[in-house]
């Protein structure tokens, strides 16, 4: 089974765990009358977050292991690990597109840049607690993450005036919705992170049991 297939299954497990909380949050925020396109975009944003968390070997509560490993030399071992770094580049493109699309406060380039920088740092630092001995807190990953996000931001600039992009963001003159818009990006980031940390391993194990049972007829 390919690494990409494993990543997709684990991402699906994380996303399944997050969906009930997404529904609850959107019920709670119903009073703000958020545009339907914006609400749909939030599901895409959370899916991207789940994909990044799973591809980054982000540890769960049940898999914590202090195993620090660092690389502070940019592009050291790039050729030997090119597929990993290319993946780090690609998976951040949607994030760089969605941030300015869903939230007006990220339409200035520097706001998106600093969000991606802090996001990447948080992901990389978390890897010192990962069970996988191959997880490295790597400056090259951060560079590739930011580069991918900037490509996504450029895509946003190219398509921001298209008809389907209208009403993707939630900002209006309503002061309460403006306040929500500032907090929403973090709410929908930390919710999948918390679910990944606490719940995803159980869902992932159940899904893999079903996959193996259907493949070999034996529940693992």
């Amino acid at each position: 089974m390919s690494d990409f297939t494993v990543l997709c299954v684990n991402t699906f497990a994380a996303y399944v765990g997050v969906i009930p909380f997404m529904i609850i949050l959107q019920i709670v925020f119903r009073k703000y009358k958020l545009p339907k396109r914006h609400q749909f975009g939030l599901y895409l944003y959370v899916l991207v977050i789940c994909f990044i968390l799973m591809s980054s070997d982000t540890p769960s509560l049940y898999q914590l292991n202090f195993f620090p490993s660092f690389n502070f030399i940019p592009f050291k071992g790039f050729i030997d690990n090119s597929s990993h770094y290319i993946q780090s580049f690609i998976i951040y493109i949607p994030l760089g597109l969605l941030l300015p699309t869903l939230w007006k406060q990220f339409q200035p380039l520097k706001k998106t840049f600093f969000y991606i920088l802090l996001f990447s740092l948080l992901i990389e630092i978390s890897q010192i607690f990962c069970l996988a001995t191959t997880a490295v807190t790597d400056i090259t990953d951060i560079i590739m993450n930011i580069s991918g996000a900037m490509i996504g931001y450029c895509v946003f600039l190219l398509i921001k005036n298209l008809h389907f992009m209208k009403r993707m963001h939630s900002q209006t003159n309503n002061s309460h919705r403006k306040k929500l818009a500032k907090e929403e990006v973090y709410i929908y980031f930390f919710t999948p992170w918390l679910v990944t940390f606490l719940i995803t391993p159980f869902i992932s194990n159940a899904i893999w049991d079903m996959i193996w049972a259907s493949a070999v007829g034996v529940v693992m």
Side-chain angles (χ1 to χ4, degrees), residues 78-123:
F78 186 90
I79 301 299
D80 294 335
N81 298 287
S82 58
S83 60
H84 166 76
Y85 291 126
I86 291 172
Q87 175 181 288
S88 297
F89 175 85
I90 292 174
I91 63 176
Y92 273 77
I93 293 176
L95 189 58
L97 169 62
L98 287 172
L99 282 173
T101 298
L102 296 176
W103 297 284
K104 273 197 168 182
Q105 67 263 34
F106 289 102
Q107 291 186 0
L109 175 60
K110 64 179 181 180
K111 292 290 185 67
T112 296
F113 177 88
F114 282 115
Y115 177 91
I116 298 298
L117 175 60
L118 292 174
F119 181 95
S120 298
L121 283 172
L122 187 59
I123 292 288

Side-chain angles (χ1 to χ4, degrees), residues 8-107:
C8 288
V9 172
N10 290 337
T11 299
F12 175 75
Y15 197 54
V16 166
V18 175
I19 290 297
F21 296 94
M22 289 283 296
I23 295 172
I24 292 171
L25 285 170
Q26 296 203 334
I27 291 173
V28 171
F29 297 146
R30 185 170 53 186
K31 62 183 178 181
Y32 296 104
K33 298 180 180 179
L34 298 173
K36 296 294 184 182
R37 293 184 191 180
H38 178 74
Q39 294 183 52
F40 172 74
L42 290 174
Y43 282 90
L44 295 179
Y45 173 75
V46 168
L47 178 60
V48 170
I49 296 296
C50 289
F51 192 79
I52 291 174
L53 292 175
M54 292 297 99
S55 67
S56 304
D57 294 320
T58 304
S60 72
L61 177 62
Y62 319 100
Q63 299 170 318
L64 290 178
N65 180 45
F66 186 66
F67 195 90
S69 180
F70 302 95
N71 171 38
F72 297 115
I73 303 174
F75 301 105
K76 178 183 178 182
F78 186 90
I79 301 299
D80 294 335
N81 298 287
S82 58
S83 60
H84 166 76
Y85 291 126
I86 291 172
Q87 175 181 288
S88 297
F89 175 85
I90 292 174
I91 63 176
Y92 273 77
I93 293 176
L95 189 58
L97 169 62
L98 287 172
L99 282 173
T101 298
L102 296 176
W103 297 284
K104 273 197 168 182
Q105 67 263 34
F106 289 102
Q107 291 186 0

